[in-house]
């Protein structure tokens, strides 16, 4: 199984897209993830959804809005509220992880490999078979 991040943007329309992907594909949702990080002393949050592979595919997509949201524990905000609302509507848990920020990696692909490793280590996604 291939696990790959698909990055959306940081704006409201991107969060709307993420929440709509969750609603439309609720039967495929594997996990909702919140990644918290600190960038230059500013607390930021990335929101992601992990989908089960489409039949008969072998791709486990992970859609993410990367580091564009203020940490809602520090400053409540509407972007996180939209994500939280869809989680409540569908009775899904949001799994929270603290991670390094993406600027600590030379390439975005290395950052996503790091996140996949963390998700596997915490058993939020399966190891490759």
């Amino acid at each position: 199984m291939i696990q790959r991040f698909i990055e959306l943007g940081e704006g409201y329309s991107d969060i709307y897209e993420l929440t709509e992907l969750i609603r439309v594909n609720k039967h495929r949702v594997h996990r909702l993830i919140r990644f918290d990080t600190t960038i230059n002393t500013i607390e930021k949050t990335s929101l992601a959804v992990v989908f089960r592979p489409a039949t008969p595919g072998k791709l486990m997509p992970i859609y993410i809005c990367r580091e564009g949201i203020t940490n809602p524990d520090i400053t409540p905000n509407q972007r996180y509220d939209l994500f939280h609302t869809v989680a409540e509507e569908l009775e899904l848990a949001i799994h929270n992880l603290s991670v390094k920020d993406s600027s600590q990696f030379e390439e975005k692909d290395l950052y996503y490999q790091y996140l996949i490793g963390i998700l596997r280590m915490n058993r939020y996604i399966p190891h490759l078979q």
Side-chain angles (χ1 to χ4, degrees):
M1 177 179 337
I2 300 165
Q3 295 150 340
R4 182 178 313 139
F5 275 89
I6 301 168
E7 187 171 316
L8 302 173
E10 302 171 1
Y12 273 106
S13 59
D14 302 296
I15 297 296
Y16 291 136
E17 186 66 25
L18 184 67
T19 57
E20 187 63 16
L21 282 168
I22 294 166
R23 282 186 182 101
V24 171
N25 295 287
K26 62 185 171 193
H27 62 285
R28 289 184 54 209
V29 173
H30 179 67
R31 297 248 194 270
L32 299 181
I33 309 285
R34 172 181 152 183
F35 297 105
D36 291 331
T37 193
T38 304
I39 304 172
N40 299 324
T41 71
I42 300 170
E43 301 290 326
K44 291 293 200 173
T45 295
S46 300
L47 300 175
V49 58
V50 181
F51 287 116
R52 292 180 189 91
T55 306
K58 295 182 190 286
L59 170 66
M60 179 173 252
I62 307 166
Y63 287 87
I64 188 169
C65 292
R66 180 175 52 94
E67 299 170 345
I69 300 164
T70 305
N71 184 317
D73 295 339
I74 306 299
T75 306
N77 61 79
Q78 288 183 328
R79 290 179 182 158
Y80 182 77
D81 290 346
L82 291 169
F83 189 73
H84 188 264
T85 298
V86 76
E88 286 182 334
E89 283 174 18
L90 302 176
E91 298 178 357
L92 298 168
I94 299 172
H95 301 275
N96 193 19
L97 294 166
S98 294
V99 297
K100 295 179 184 180
D101 72 273
S102 62
S103 69
Q104 295 184 37
F105 296 82
E106 285 294 318
E107 298 174 21
K108 201 178 335 177
D109 287 343
L110 294 175
Y111 175 66
Y112 288 135
Q113 287 175 11
Y114 159 74
L115 291 182
I116 285 172
I118 292 200
L119 291 172
R120 287 179 185 163
M121 183 179 69
N122 285 282
R123 297 191 171 122
Y124 289 160
I125 60 174
H127 291 273
L128 295 178
Q129 299 174 4

